[in-house]
């Protein structure tokens, strides 16, 4: 389904959905520490979202069995929370969450290092991956092309020499979790489909300290780097405006 220009009431619902998403992610992030399991973190996400009145979009999405994706170190995205998966100090933990509210969906993600900054390379990977997301968002305006966004993300990650994951991309979002068009994290300005004010998109760079190549684990969900290098992932749902973008999944 092609992403549509959203109505005022759809945007209102997405603002509320995005606010819930950001609030829950901040709570879960604050609980990321050595010794906790990814299942415990997922249970916190479920509980917090329930209090706020939203529904977890991931649960049951193409059969995904949990409320949130939690991916650790060489896991890039779509990790399944598990009761036997313990976080260790220094791990890069990526939390990817979706919230449905009044029929409208927002999508957001962040990475955090368990127990803070222990390894400068890992801290930089997290920092610059977030920066690349903000660079992509800064490129957004009415009549932006997907290649304009991709190029703005890519320039930040390339400068650091990171692997830029190509097999997974950003996307339109709102009525569905994934709406067309794709929003790659690389590309050339002045290429790709045009987007317009009132559309809502998810921009989501995934960067690695090694290769851009990834593979699907035997669990048929988790995406891992081929060379076991560690990865980071940041994502916001944004509303395209005349002269910029409004981040819907910020606190
Ligand atoms: N937020 C994820 C993305 O954009 C969607 C996760 S789908 C799930 O790729 F089923 F894994 F939850
Ligand atoms: Co997404």
């Amino acid at each position: 389904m092609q992403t549509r220009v959203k109505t005022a009431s759809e945007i209102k619902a997405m603002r509320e959905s995005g606010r819930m998403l950001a609030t829950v992610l901040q709570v879960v992030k604050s609980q990321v520490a050595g010794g906790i399991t990814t299942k415990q973190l997922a249970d916190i996400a479920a509980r917090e979202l329930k209090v706020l009145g939203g529904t977890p979009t991931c649960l049951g999405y193409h059969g995904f069995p949990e409320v949130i994706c939690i991916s650790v170190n060489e896991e890039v995205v779509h990790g399944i929370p598990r009761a036997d998966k313990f976080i260790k100090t220094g791990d890069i933990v990526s939390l990817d969450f979706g919230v449905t509210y009044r029929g409208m969906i927002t999508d957001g993600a962040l990475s955090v290092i368990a127990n803070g900054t222990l390894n400068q390379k890992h801290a930089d990977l997290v920092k610059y991956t977030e920066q690349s997301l903000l660079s992509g968002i800064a490129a957004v305006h009415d009549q932006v092309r997907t290649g304009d966004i991709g190029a703005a993300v890519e320039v930040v990650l390339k400068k650091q020499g990171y692997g830029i994951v190509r097999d997974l991309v950003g996307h339109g979002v709102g009525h569905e979790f994934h709406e067309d068009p794709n929003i790659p994290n690389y590309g050339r300005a002045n290429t790709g489909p045009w987007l317009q004010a009132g559309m809502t998109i998810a921009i989501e760079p995934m960067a690695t300290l090694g290769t851009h190549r990834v593979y699907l684990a035997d669990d048929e969900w988790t995406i891992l780097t081929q060379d076991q290098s560690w990865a980071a992932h940041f994502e916001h749902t944004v509303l395209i405006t005349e002269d910029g973008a409004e981040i819907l999944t910020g606190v």
Side-chain angles (χ1 to χ4, degrees):
M1 182 179 110
Q2 200 68 28
T3 200
R4 301 205 295 266
V5 170
K6 273 62 178 185
T7 66
S9 72
E10 288 168 347
I11 290 167
K12 187 160 180 276
M14 288 183 73
R15 282 199 184 101
E16 292 176 45
S17 162
R19 173 61 69 103
M20 291 177 194
L21 186 151
T23 303
V24 172
L25 275 191
Q26 289 306 315
V27 172
V28 177
K29 177 184 174 183
S30 75
Q31 298 305 307
V32 170
I36 198 164
T37 69
T38 56
K39 174 63 178 165
Q40 285 175 302
L41 292 170
D43 289 347
I44 292 167
R47 188 184 72 214
E48 293 295 321
L49 184 60
K50 197 170 185 184
V51 170
L52 296 172
T55 308
T57 319
C58 290
L59 183 62
Y61 182 77
H62 291 284
F64 190 76
E66 262 295 345
V67 297
I68 186 171
C69 300
I70 306 184
S71 312
V72 182
N73 300 342
E74 68 275 12
E75 299 173 352
V76 183
V77 286
H78 301 169
I80 304 172
R82 291 196 337 231
D84 62 353
K85 177 118 184 155
F86 288 85
I87 301 298
K88 301 179 300 302
T89 292
D91 283 351
I92 300 179
V93 180
S94 297
L95 310 169
D96 187 356
F97 198 40
V99 171
T100 306
Y101 181 67
R102 292 202 212 138
M104 299 306 291
I105 298 167
T106 55
D107 189 4
L110 60 80
S111 294
V112 60
I113 298 179
N115 306 90
T117 308
L118 290 143
N119 175 313
Q120 193 57 46
K121 270 193 181 166
H122 297 160
D124 285 345
L125 176 68
V126 169
K127 178 173 94 178
Y128 288 111
T129 305
E130 181 169 29
Q131 212 171 88
S132 76
L133 169 59
L134 298 178
S135 172
I137 293 171
V140 172
H141 52 79
D142 184 41
Q143 301 307 322
V144 71
R145 300 179 73 169
T146 58
D148 300 333
I149 301 171
V153 171
E154 182 178 12
V155 68
V156 174
L157 298 175
K158 252 199 171 156
K159 189 170 172 202
Q160 301 303 320
Y162 296 151
I164 305 172
V165 175
R166 306 174 75 88
D167 290 359
L168 298 126
V169 292
H171 48 89
V173 63
H175 297 91
E176 292 177 5
F177 218 168
H178 295 120
E179 302 174 350
D180 291 329
N182 285 341
I183 320 253
N185 296 302
Y186 53 86
R188 272 184 308 125
N190 299 309
T191 65
W194 279 265
L195 299 167
Q196 56 174 299
M199 290 177 170
T200 45
I201 57 172
I203 305 174
E204 52 176 318
M206 287 149 265
T208 85
L209 287 174
T211 183
H212 70 275
R213 292 179 194 282
V214 297
Y215 71 98
L216 183 63
D218 290 339
D219 67 15
E220 294 195 356
W221 276 105
T222 315
I223 304 279
L224 297 123
T225 58
Q226 271 190 15
D227 63 0
Q228 313 246 69
S229 62
W230 288 18
H233 177 212
F234 281 83
E235 175 172 28
H236 274 308
T237 293
V238 305
L239 168 67
I240 302 173
T241 63
E242 280 303 316
D243 54 1
E246 177 186 334
I247 296 175
L248 300 179
T249 45
V251 268

